[in-house]
Amino acid sequence: MIYIVEGSNRVGKTTYIKEKIKENDIYIRNRYVLDYMIDHKHDSLISSLSMLDFIEELSKKDFDVYLDRFHISEIVYGRLFRNYDNDEMSYIVDDKLSKIKNLKLLFITSDYYHLDKIKEKEKLNEYLSIQNMFRKEITKSKIKNKETINNNY
């Protein structure tokens, strides 16, 4: 099974994956790929389509694959922090992902009560706003097999 794990900052995506992953599973931390895309919008479609081929092949294997962020993060963070709208590319990716049988989109949410540092508490409204943007895009996704996991510490 392929699990695409999406959600706002500080909701526990990586922690969730680390708790679920087994010895022979694969963990792909897409944050580094997304960081590259900040200055390379035109490359993001090529990069995403290449990753799709890889994901499709992995979905046929007998182990789980966890992707820590993917196309929904690209939509949300492209708008917020990269000053571009990459929705068209991401919706193409979403459509292709929706056709992969062994794939599940996980949306990790949080009430953010775990934030205890002053600076983090100041970011609470920003995190909740981003979480709502993710919720909107997850709802739009054509992927049928999806689940929301409330990670309230």
Side-chain angles (χ1 to χ4, degrees):
M1 177 72 80
I2 305 293
Y3 296 97
I4 298 175
V5 183
E6 293 280 13
S8 181
N9 302 0
R10 309 283 307 194
V11 294
K13 294 175 299 300
T14 303
T15 302
Y16 174 84
I17 292 169
K18 288 179 179 178
E19 289 173 357
K20 295 293 182 183
I21 201 161
K22 296 180 286 304
E23 186 176 335
N24 293 324
D25 294 345
I26 296 176
Y27 170 44
I28 301 171
R29 190 171 176 139
N30 255 356
R31 189 165 289 119
Y32 307 118
V33 174
L34 294 171
D35 287 344
Y36 169 80
M37 292 177 185
I38 291 172
D39 296 320
H40 301 88
K41 177 184 175 185
H42 64 284
D43 293 342
S44 63
L45 177 59
I46 295 165
S47 171
S48 294
L49 293 176
S50 297
M51 183 65 116
L52 279 173
D53 292 339
F54 182 57
I55 291 169
E56 193 163 11
E57 285 306 309
L58 289 174
S59 73
K60 300 171 188 172
K61 305 297 181 188
D62 192 27
F63 50 80
D64 293 334
V65 177
Y66 292 85
L67 283 90
D68 190 341
R69 300 194 181 272
F70 195 48
H71 66 302
I72 304 294
S73 290
E74 177 60 14
I75 294 170
V76 172
Y77 291 118
R79 289 180 195 151
L80 283 175
F81 302 117
R82 300 184 188 118
N83 297 318
Y84 67 71
D85 178 330
N86 218 1
D87 295 6
E88 183 179 348
M89 177 279 300
S90 295
Y91 294 142
I92 291 168
V93 170
D94 187 76
D95 185 59
K96 291 183 180 292
L97 288 169
S98 73
K99 294 175 174 93
I100 297 175
K101 291 180 184 180
N102 296 322
L103 186 136
K104 187 169 193 174
L105 179 58
L106 300 175
F107 175 40
I108 310 293
T109 65
S110 177
D111 59 13
Y112 289 105
Y113 288 133
H114 63 285
L115 299 182
D116 56 0
K117 297 177 186 170
I118 300 292
K119 287 184 180 178
E120 287 182 330
K121 286 191 179 204
E122 290 172 359
K123 291 196 150 248
L124 178 61
N125 287 334
E126 177 186 342
Y127 291 161
L128 289 170
S129 175
I130 293 170
Q131 183 167 270
N132 286 331
M133 292 175 75
F134 270 95
R135 187 180 317 281
K136 179 181 172 189
E137 294 304 327
I138 297 281
T139 301
K140 282 187 198 177
S141 172
K142 292 182 179 180
I143 297 170
K144 299 284 186 240
N145 190 8
K146 50 188 163 185
E147 178 181 355
T148 298
I149 298 166
N150 296 309
N151 195 9
N152 296 325
Y153 296 85

